């Protein structure tokens, strides 16, 4: 890995960690995630701040769609130490960088990496790759011409249940597979409320291509009985919301052909430190 692919931020750039964060990335000229890390110094600054503020000492942290390990390593470098951290990432090139990054940040003993996708059932599948944005791989045949990679899908609750009986902090960003991921994790999530906190991407277009819908995903999350928030990455705040409003927004997006609108949502108690 050449030096130009090394990315590092100081404690002044990302507040709330106990040491600086270093990542090896893909080439910034050919991968969107890597490009944004190098040019903007953080990946989704408000989501970064929210993730750090949401973590509590002793948390069981689960990162689904871990990519290069950014959010998993944020948790490992958090002064409020997590009890366990699990990172799930199916793409082989991302996994290789993820494992390298754990060593770079001396957290290879802290984070358990599983090179699989999570879903409702154990299965073999194809990952449909986006070679220009390695955070946009899909496990369904969607639009566009994509290369394919053979991967394994595992039922989330069955796989994680060997290691833990609950989840405290969960991130799911899987380009349309969020419903299947959440459905597979549901037994663990039901056992984890009301202490559970979730950061999740809601993209009706991608969910529809994957065979689900934005409405179905919101309804599933709402059944956990937690407060719902829109993550406003422009104003850098959490906006209170509720299931009916989010379902209506998803329906409106679905009613507009080709609309790829998305939002990140947060479920659970808002972090007290976020407003400080």
């Amino acid at each position: 890995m050449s030096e130009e692919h090394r990315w590092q931020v100081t404690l002044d750039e990302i507040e709330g960690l106990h040491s600086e964060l270093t990542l090896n990335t893909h080439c910034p000229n050919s991968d969107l995630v890597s490009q944004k890390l190098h040019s903007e110094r953080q990946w989704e600054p408000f989501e970064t701040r929210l993730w750090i503020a949401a973590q509590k000492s002793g948390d069981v942290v689960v990162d689904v769609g871990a990519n290069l390990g950014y959010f998993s390593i944020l948790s490992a470098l958090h002064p409020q130490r997590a009890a366990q951290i699990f990172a799930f990432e199916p793409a082989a090139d991302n996994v290789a960088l993820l494992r390298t990054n754990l060593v770079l940040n001396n957290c290879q003993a802290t984070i358990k990496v599983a090179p699989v996708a999570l879903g409702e059932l154990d299965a073999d599948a194809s990952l449909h790759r986006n070679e220009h944005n390695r955070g946009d791989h899909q496990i369904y045949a969607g639009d566009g011409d994509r290369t394919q990679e053979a991967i394994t899908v595992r039922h989330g609750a069955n796989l994680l249940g060997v290691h833990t009986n609950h989840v405290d902090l969960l991130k799911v960003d899987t380009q349309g597979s969020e419903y299947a991921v959440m459905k597979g994790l549901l037994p663990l999530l039901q056992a984890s409320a009301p202490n559970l906190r979730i950061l999740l991407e809601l993209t009706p277009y991608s969910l529809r291509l994957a065979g689900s819908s934005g409405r179905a995903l919101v309804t599933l999350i709402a059944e956990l009985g937690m407060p719902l928030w829109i993550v406003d990455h422009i104003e850098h705040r959490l906006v209170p919301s509720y299931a009916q409003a989010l379902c209506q927004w998803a329906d409106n997006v679905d009613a507009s052909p080709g609309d790829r609108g998305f939002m990140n949502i947060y479920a659970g108690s808002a972090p007290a430190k976020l407003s400080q």
Side-chain angles (χ1 to χ4, degrees), residues 9-217:
V9 292
T10 67
L11 296 182
D12 290 333
E13 292 176 289
I14 297 184
E15 297 181 359
L17 305 181
H18 64 65
S19 62
E20 64 186 16
L21 171 60
T22 302
L23 296 179
N24 276 355
T25 73
H26 297 292
C27 177
N29 294 328
S30 60
D31 176 63
L32 178 64
V33 173
S34 301
Q35 186 273 324
K36 284 187 173 293
L37 283 172
H38 285 272
S39 64
E40 299 179 8
R41 308 300 299 147
Q42 294 184 35
W43 177 252
E44 299 182 331
F46 180 60
E47 284 80 350
T48 293
R49 183 174 154 218
L50 173 59
W51 184 255
I52 293 171
Q55 184 165 317
K56 301 177 183 178
S57 179
D59 275 352
V60 174
V61 179
V62 176
D63 182 2
V64 187
N67 200 285
L68 306 178
Y70 180 82
F71 283 95
S72 294
I73 296 171
L74 287 177
S75 285
L77 301 182
H78 200 294
Q80 300 294 322
R81 292 189 178 274
Q84 298 181 88
I85 304 171
F86 300 91
F88 297 93
E89 172 57 47
D93 53 349
N94 285 344
V95 171
L97 283 173
L98 169 56
R99 293 190 188 279
T100 297
N101 290 334
L102 300 192
V103 175
L104 285 175
N105 293 278
N106 195 31
C107 56
Q108 62 269 36
T110 306
I111 300 172
K112 296 180 176 65
V113 176
V116 301
L118 295 189
E120 294 185 67
L121 300 170
D122 291 347
D124 295 325
S126 293
L127 188 69
H128 299 258
R129 296 173 53 89
N130 182 340
E131 302 300 343
H132 302 291
N133 178 3
R134 292 175 177 86
D136 185 44
H137 301 331
Q138 308 165 167
I139 64 168
Y140 55 90
D143 55 347
D145 184 20
R146 295 178 179 234
T147 59
Q148 296 182 37
E149 175 184 347
I151 62 167
T152 299
V153 180
R154 297 290 304 274
H155 182 278
N158 290 346
L159 183 57
L160 271 171
V162 176
H163 305 282
T164 182
N165 61 4
H166 71 285
V167 175
D168 297 299
L169 184 59
L170 170 67
K171 188 213 90 186
V172 184
D173 186 353
T174 56
Q175 304 309 107
S177 302
E178 287 83 3
Y179 179 84
V181 170
M182 295 293 288
K183 189 71 171 179
L185 287 171
L186 193 57
L188 274 180
L189 304 184
Q190 289 170 330
S192 303
N195 295 321
L196 177 63
R197 288 139 277 145
I198 302 171
L199 179 61
L200 178 141
E201 186 173 85
L202 172 62
T203 310
Y205 179 86
S206 298
L207 286 159
R208 186 170 69 254
L209 290 180
S212 181
S213 69
R215 173 174 284 273
L217 178 59

Side-chain angles (χ1 to χ4, degrees), residues 78 80 226 237 246:
H78 200 294
Q80 300 294 322
M226 301 185 297
R237 62 194 181 113
L246 293 172

